[in-house]
């Protein structure tokens, strides 16, 4: 089954304790991205990657890191989490649609709910 | 840069009633438009998309949306809502050359029995 898998689905941690949220897709997609969802703010993009070793900042990259060493994996790293990073996180992947990036249809993971105390 | 406005934060309808969720976008050229649905505890799933051609597009679960260039709108409709349609709905716009689709803030649909 074609899917995007995120782990962990739920995590409670404390300020400053480094954590990694993993994301893996089995569709050989080139494009992957991370979003956070907060009440009243909708989805905001954190980072995206157009292919292996190619990443770029989205709208809210501060406090996050990513890497894309393999095509299927795109982990999100919080080096020193803070309470304002408490949120619901989504990973998504896609292939460029119709030859242009803007036409991407995204496949989303089920989400990772992170609480930072 | 493109932007998306979903003016309604919450919409409440009775089961069996018709539904229209509003979406307005801002973009200088013809946009790529999407509606996604997020069921409770789930990720987002594509309902339908508009790239070009017929301005009335059909999607999954009986949803449709109409692109109106003159109004910069892409409203989502369903003639008869089912209780299982209760979810969060997101409109999104993609621009040619951009890897960053812009999402609206979402509309939460509540369905009364």
């Amino acid at each position: 089954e074609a899917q995007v898998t995120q782990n962990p689905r739920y995590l409670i941690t404390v300020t400053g304790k480094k954590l990694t949220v993993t994301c893996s897709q089995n569709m050989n997609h080139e494009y992957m991205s991370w979003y956070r969802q907060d009440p009243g703010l909708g989805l905001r993009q954190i980072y995206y990657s157009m292919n292996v070793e190619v990443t770029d900042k989205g709208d809210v990259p501060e406090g996050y890191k990513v890497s894309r060493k393999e095509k299927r994996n795109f982990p999100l790293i919080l080096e020193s989490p803070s309470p304002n990073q408490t949120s619901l996180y989504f990973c998504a992947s896609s292939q460029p649609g119709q030859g242009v990036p803007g036409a991407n249809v995204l496949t989303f993971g089920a989400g990772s709910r992170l609480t930072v105390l | 840069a493109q932007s998306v406005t979903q003016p309604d934060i919450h919409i409440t309808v009775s089961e069996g009633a018709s539904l229209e969720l509003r979406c307005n976008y801002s973009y200088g050229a013809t946009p790529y438009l999407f509606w996604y649905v997020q069921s409770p505890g789930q990720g987002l799933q594509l309902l339908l998309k508009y790239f070009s051609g017929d301005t009335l597009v059909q999607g999954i679960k009986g949803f449709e949306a109409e692109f109106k260039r003159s109004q910069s709108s892409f409203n989502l409709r369903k003639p008869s809502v089912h209780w299982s349609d209760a979810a969060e709905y997101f409109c999104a716009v993609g621009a040619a050359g951009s890897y960053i689709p812009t999402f609206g803030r979402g509309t939460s649909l509540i369905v009364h029995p």
Side-chain angles (χ1 to χ4, degrees):
Chain A
E1 180 189 352
Q3 61 185 1
V4 176
T5 303
Q6 299 178 223
N7 281 296
R9 293 288 313 279
Y10 302 91
L11 178 64
I12 301 174
T13 190
V14 295
T15 299
K17 186 176 181 180
K18 180 180 179 179
L19 67 92
T20 299
V21 186
T22 64
C23 174
S24 180
Q25 50 94 2
N26 62 1
M27 296 163 282
N28 202 36
H29 283 170
E30 292 180 2
Y31 174 82
M32 297 185 74
S33 60
W34 276 102
Y35 293 84
R36 61 178 289 173
Q37 182 181 15
D38 301 289
L41 297 177
L43 283 166
R44 295 179 292 168
Q45 191 170 60
I46 304 170
Y47 270 94
Y48 65 97
S49 169
M50 289 170 283
N51 216 322
V52 176
E53 302 291 1
V54 182
T55 63
D56 206 348
K57 297 177 181 178
D59 297 323
V60 288
E62 294 77 21
Y64 305 95
K65 286 177 58 178
V66 293
S67 68
R68 187 93 181 271
K69 293 182 170 50
E70 305 167 282
K71 198 171 187 178
R72 63 183 294 123
N73 296 323
F74 190 45
L76 179 70
I77 303 158
L78 285 72
E79 293 270 1
S80 182
S82 63
N84 64 12
Q85 293 178 296
T86 293
S87 188
L88 178 58
Y89 291 86
F90 288 101
C91 180
S93 72
S94 72
Q95 283 292 96
Q98 296 190 306
V100 292
N104 288 9
V105 174
L106 299 171
T107 300
F108 283 84
S112 296
R113 185 167 294 280
L114 171 65
T115 301
V116 183
L117 302 176
Chain B
Q2 67 271 27
S3 66
V4 179
T5 301
Q6 292 181 247
D8 304 304
I9 298 173
H10 302 283
I11 291 277
T12 302
V13 299
S14 297
E15 191 168 17
S18 64
L19 170 70
E20 182 169 32
L21 301 182
R22 296 183 291 166
C23 173
N24 293 99
Y25 69 89
S26 173
Y27 182 59
T30 299
Y32 302 102
L33 295 163
F34 309 83
W35 275 100
Y36 287 85
V37 61
Q38 182 185 19
S39 298
Q42 311 262 335
L44 281 73
Q45 177 187 19
L46 180 73
L47 275 178
L48 46 79
K49 63 184 186 290
Y50 172 78
F51 289 168
S52 63
D54 192 348
T55 56
L56 184 64
V57 294
Q58 304 296 322
I60 62 172
K61 304 184 182 187
F63 285 91
E64 67 178 26
E66 186 172 12
F67 170 57
K68 292 186 177 179
R69 184 188 303 275
S70 62
Q71 298 177 20
S72 298
S73 68
F74 189 56
N75 294 348
L76 181 71
R77 301 194 295 246
K78 187 169 184 178
S80 178
V81 171
H82 188 261
W83 63 266
S84 61
D85 293 324
E88 189 91 16
Y89 291 81
F90 292 92
C91 182
V93 59
S98 171
Y99 282 97
I100 307 179
T102 299
F103 283 83
R105 295 189 175 187
T107 297
S108 178
L109 175 64
I110 301 164
V111 180
H112 281 314

